[in-house]
Amino acid sequence: MLDSLIHMKMERFLDESRQSSILEDEVYLKDIRDETELEQRYMQLDIPKTQKFLIDDYIACVKTAGIRYSELSYVAGIKDAVKMLVEEGLLEDQECGVLGDMRQKFNL
C-alpha cells in the first residue's frame, strides 16, 4: 500500500516537474517542432505500407526506450540526492517512516 502511494506521488511529482521544465527548454521545443515537420515529410514518402509499419514500429520502440531511460535517470537522481543528504547529515537517517520506506525501495 505504502509502496503504491510513494510510486503514485513520485509519478505525479515527475510529471509536474517535467512539464514545467519542458515548456521552458528551447532545445526540447525546437526538437518537437523539428519532429512535427519531419513526421509530415515522412507521411508524404512514397513507400509501401509494410515498410512504413516497420519504420513506425522502430520509431515507437526508440521513443519508448528513451522515455523509460529518462524516467529511470530521474529516479536515480532522486536516489542519489537523498543518499547525499543523508551522508552529509542534512537529512536524518531513519529506519521507519517515508524516508525509511524510500531507503528500502531505492536501496539507499
Side-chain angles (χ1 to χ4, degrees), residues 4 17 24 30-31 37 43 47 54 63 73-75 80-81 83 92-93 98 101 106 108:
S4 64
S17 178
E24 298 170 1
K30 182 181 181 320
D31 285 344
E37 178 190 336
M43 296 306 287
I47 57 176
L54 176 64
K63 281 185 166 186
S73 296
Y74 187 86
V75 170
D80 291 344
K83 184 177 180 181
E92 187 176 333
D93 187 4
V98 174
D101 292 331
F106 297 116
L108 296 176

Side-chain angles (χ1 to χ4, degrees), residues 2-95:
L2 188 56
D3 272 355
S4 64
L5 180 61
I6 291 171
H7 182 72
M8 286 178 4
K9 286 186 178 237
M10 293 272 295
E11 279 187 10
R12 188 174 64 225
F13 183 76
L14 171 63
D15 289 342
E16 290 171 3
S17 178
R18 178 178 33 216
Q19 190 64 26
S20 66
S21 295
I22 64 173
L23 294 176
E24 298 170 1
D25 189 284
E26 288 300 321
V27 173
Y28 177 80
L29 294 173
K30 182 181 181 320
D31 285 344
I32 292 299
R33 289 189 299 271
D34 291 347
E35 179 183 358
T36 301
E37 178 190 336
L38 290 167
E39 181 179 7
Q40 290 171 352
R41 290 171 53 193
Y42 164 69
M43 296 306 287
Q44 294 173 357
L45 290 176
D46 186 26
I47 57 176
K49 284 186 178 185
T50 55
Q51 290 180 352
K52 274 195 177 180
F53 288 145
L54 176 64
I55 293 169
D56 290 344
D57 286 346
Y58 170 72
I59 292 169
C61 184
V62 169
K63 281 185 166 186
T64 301
I67 290 168
R68 183 67 179 152
Y69 183 87
S70 296
E71 290 172 349
L72 291 172
S73 296
Y74 187 86
V75 170
I78 292 172
K79 176 182 169 182
D80 291 344
V82 170
K83 184 177 180 181
M84 181 193 70
L85 292 171
V86 168
E87 288 176 358
E88 295 297 319
L90 300 171
L91 189 62
E92 187 176 333
D93 187 4
Q94 299 177 4
E95 291 301 323

